[in-house]
Amino acid sequence: MTVPTSSARTKVNGQEMYYETHGTEREDRRPLVLLHGGVQTVGLTFGTLLPTLSADRYVIAPELQGHGHTPDTDRPMTIPDLASDVVALLDELGVRQADFIGFSLGGLVALEIAVRHPERVGRLVPAAVAYSQDGFHDEVRAPDFNSPRLPSQADFQEMTDAYAAVAPHPEHFQDFFAKCSAAANAPLHWTAEDLRTLSAPTLLVIGDTDFFHIEHLAEMHRLIPDAQLAVLPGTTHMELMRRKVLLPLLTEFLG
C-alpha cells in the first residue's frame, strides 16, 4: 500500500467526505477515480493495485458514506446518493472528467455515474457488478455461508479491523454493516437501454467464482457498446482486486 500524496475531508451533500490522492497531477492524462467495495476502505480494496496505478497517474480515492474515515449520516445508503456524493466531490476538486475503477459497491456507483453523468466519465472499469438483482447467484441473494463465493470469516475480520482502525465511531460497525447490506440488496434500477447508451469505453471484470453469473456479465458485455469483458480464473469476489494479473489488463485498457 502506498502512502497517500495527500488526504483531506470536504463538505459534500451534508457530510464530511474523506478522500486521498496518490501520484502527481498531469495535464496530459485524466485523473483516475478509485471507488472501493462495500464495508471496505481505499487501502483494503486497492492496496495491491495502487502503487502501479499511481506511478504515472493522478489518483483520487474517496471513502463513501459511512466507510473508513467518512462518518455515516442519518441518510439511507443508496447507489444514486453515493454517486451524487462522488460527482459533488469532483466538482469541489474542479475535475470535469475522470477515468473510473469501481469494485463491487464502488462499481455500482461508477456505473450509476456513467449512466447519469456520461460527460464525467472517460474510461470505465466496473469490477464485480451486476445491472439487476437477477445477476446474483442464489447462494448470494439468500446467503449460504458455506458457499465459496461468499466472504470467509477471515475476510469479515479484515473488514471489521479496517473499519475499527479509522472509523470516527467504530462502535457503530453493526449498524453500518446493515446499511451496506441493504444498499447492496436494493433493486438495481438500470435497464438494458441504459447500458446501450453508455458512451465511455468500458472494461467489465469478474472472477469466475464471483457473486454474479458470468452469463449476466456476458449480457452486459453485449449491451454496452464496444465493451470488453475479463473473467479472472480461480478468483472469488474478495480476491478479485488482489490479483496481480489484473494490473496489466487495467494499465493497457486505461492507456
Side-chain angles (χ1 to χ4, degrees):
M1 177 65 188
T2 59
V3 175
T5 305
S6 69
S7 62
R9 291 176 173 83
T10 190
K11 198 78 169 178
V12 169
N13 293 339
Q15 63 182 322
E16 293 289 335
M17 191 175 199
Y18 170 90
Y19 68 95
E20 54 191 57
T21 67
H22 297 256
T24 304
E25 292 188 69
R26 295 177 50 165
E27 293 185 359
D28 61 332
R29 303 195 77 174
R30 287 184 294 265
L32 174 62
V33 176
L34 302 182
L35 300 176
H36 60 76
V39 202
Q40 298 196 11
T41 62
V42 170
L44 200 53
T45 297
F46 295 109
T48 300
L49 306 178
L50 254 172
T52 299
L53 292 178
S54 63
D56 62 351
R57 296 190 69 116
Y58 182 60
V59 173
I60 302 167
E63 288 182 332
L64 304 172
Q65 175 190 342
H67 288 77
H69 301 76
T70 300
D72 201 359
T73 70
D74 292 337
R75 184 185 73 177
M77 194 179 294
T78 70
I79 302 303
D81 282 346
L82 297 177
S84 175
D85 294 343
V86 174
V87 171
L89 172 65
L90 297 181
D91 287 343
E92 286 288 322
L93 299 178
V95 175
R96 301 309 305 162
Q97 189 179 75
D99 296 336
F100 287 79
I101 301 176
F103 168 65
S104 196
L105 178 67
L108 298 177
V109 174
L111 185 58
E112 172 72 4
I113 295 170
V115 170
R116 308 302 171 199
H117 305 277
E119 74 286 355
R120 308 304 293 265
V121 181
R123 286 179 173 261
L124 175 67
V125 183
V129 301
Y131 83 99
S132 76
Q133 290 290 345
D134 292 342
F136 284 85
H137 284 280
D138 290 342
E139 64 263 40
V140 176
R141 287 202 286 181
D144 174 3
F145 290 102
N146 293 315
S147 171
R149 298 184 186 280
L150 291 175
S152 67
Q153 188 58 46
D155 292 325
F156 280 118
Q157 190 61 54
E158 196 170 31
M159 290 187 285
T160 303
D161 291 344
Y163 182 84
V166 299
H169 300 286
E171 69 277 7
H172 291 170
F173 179 78
Q174 292 302 326
D175 291 340
F176 159 70
F177 185 86
K179 288 181 77 169
C180 286
S181 297
N185 292 318
L188 299 172
H189 53 280
W190 303 300
T191 65
E193 189 56 38
D194 287 329
L195 297 192
R196 290 191 184 99
T197 63
L198 288 178
S199 56
T202 301
L203 171 63
L204 298 160
V205 182
I206 187 176
D208 63 354
T209 314
D210 213 313
F211 287 176
F212 313 103
H213 293 282
I214 293 174
E215 293 82 359
H216 183 80
L217 270 291
E219 180 185 357
M220 293 179 69
H221 174 249
R222 288 192 297 270
L223 290 170
I224 299 171
D226 299 320
Q228 301 176 39
L229 171 61
V231 180
L232 273 58
T235 303
T236 66
H237 186 81
M238 298 301 294
E239 293 168 339
L240 184 63
M241 303 308 288
R242 299 175 182 177
R243 294 295 308 278
K244 292 185 179 179
V245 69
L246 185 57
L247 274 171
L249 296 174
L250 294 174
T251 53
E252 180 178 347
F253 175 74
L254 294 172

